[in-house]
Amino acid sequence: MSYLTDGCWSPIRPAVFYTTKMDGTLDIWDFLYKQNDPTLSIQVCDEPLHCIRVQDQGRLIATGSHTGTTTLLELSDGLVQLQRNEKVLVTAVLERETRREKILEARHREMKLKERNKSSQEKEKEDDEGGYEDEDLVEKAEREFYETIEYEIKQKEKKEAQRKQKEEMDKGDEGKASPIEEEKVETASGGGEDKDD
């Protein structure tokens, strides 16, 4: 990564600007096209570039190096000619970023305020309770952990006992027919009591 040494805006296109770096690179940025990386990077020379100037018509760029070497570059039409609605788009991008920055600053302030309130409440709570020692907190956590484990074991044993009881009831009822089925079997087989007696 190389340090920036100079930069300037395009006199024609509001979304284009140029930067020079210590490694001799000229970066051309078009933030409507790319915002995180330069649109075009050109290695002008192997020594640090210290200054940059753009012609009033925006077609030519002059860069000056550390040793006094001047390089003149001609830009393509895409980087010189004003694009349709470019001014409106640039204004929209800058307004959006301004709103985003304000929102982030507000969030940051809100988080700081919450931290302050939380720390002051904790400090007050510690003062009121006399403050827990670290060992007391560890013992309390262990006690709660073991109580939770014991409760879960008891619940599991209770469910297991209910399951076994249900299985035993199902086994006991397995060979028996329901009272309705028994009555049907008796009437069908004539095993019912005689009414003549």
Side-chain angles (χ1 to χ4, degrees), residues 3-163:
Y3 293 108
L4 295 177
T5 54
D6 197 6
C8 65
W9 287 96
S10 169
I12 305 296
R13 294 203 43 211
V16 175
F17 64 96
Y18 314 100
T19 58
T20 56
K21 297 192 293 189
M22 290 292 287
D23 63 358
T25 304
L26 168 68
D27 288 335
I28 301 173
W29 299 76
D30 182 350
F31 65 84
L32 292 179
Y33 178 67
K34 278 186 178 179
Q35 291 183 351
N36 296 329
D37 298 316
T39 305
L40 178 65
S41 285
I42 301 168
Q43 184 71 37
V44 177
C45 60
D46 293 331
E47 52 196 40
L49 291 176
H50 281 287
C51 62
I52 183 171
R53 295 294 177 265
V54 181
Q55 177 194 27
D56 290 340
Q57 290 80 23
R59 169 90 44 202
L60 299 175
I61 296 178
T63 60
S65 70
H66 178 67
T67 58
T69 305
T70 302
T71 307
L72 191 63
L73 302 164
E74 183 177 1
L75 298 175
S76 66
D77 290 339
L79 292 170
V80 176
Q81 294 174 353
L82 187 65
Q83 305 295 317
R84 186 182 329 138
N85 297 330
E86 184 171 355
K87 290 181 181 180
V88 174
L89 294 171
V90 168
T91 303
V93 167
L94 294 176
E95 286 176 356
R96 182 189 73 213
E97 290 301 315
T98 303
R99 283 193 307 271
R100 183 172 156 261
E101 186 177 347
K102 287 179 182 178
I103 289 169
L104 290 174
E105 286 176 359
R107 265 194 209 156
H108 185 67
R109 282 194 303 268
E110 184 179 321
M111 288 173 61
K112 276 187 173 181
L113 185 61
K114 282 182 182 179
E115 269 185 39
R116 276 193 222 130
N117 288 341
K118 185 177 179 181
S119 64
S120 64
Q121 287 174 353
E122 287 176 359
K123 195 178 273 189
E124 289 175 7
K125 186 176 180 181
E126 285 179 6
D127 291 344
D128 291 345
E129 295 175 357
Y132 281 111
E133 295 293 324
D134 288 340
E135 293 175 10
D136 293 339
L137 292 173
V138 171
E139 288 175 13
K140 181 180 178 183
E142 285 179 355
R143 186 173 56 249
E144 289 175 357
F145 173 76
Y146 287 121
E147 288 173 359
T148 304
I149 296 296
E150 287 176 20
Y151 175 77
E152 289 178 3
I153 290 172
K154 288 178 183 178
Q155 291 290 15
K156 188 175 180 180
E157 289 173 353
K158 192 184 286 187
K159 286 181 182 179
E160 185 67 25
Q162 289 174 350
R163 187 185 61 78

Side-chain angles (χ1 to χ4, degrees), residues 160-176:
E160 185 67 25
Q162 289 174 350
R163 187 185 61 78
K164 284 183 180 180
Q165 186 179 12
K166 185 177 180 184
E167 283 179 4
E168 289 175 8
M169 291 177 71
D170 290 344
K171 282 183 182 179
D173 291 342
E174 202 171 276
K176 295 181 182 177

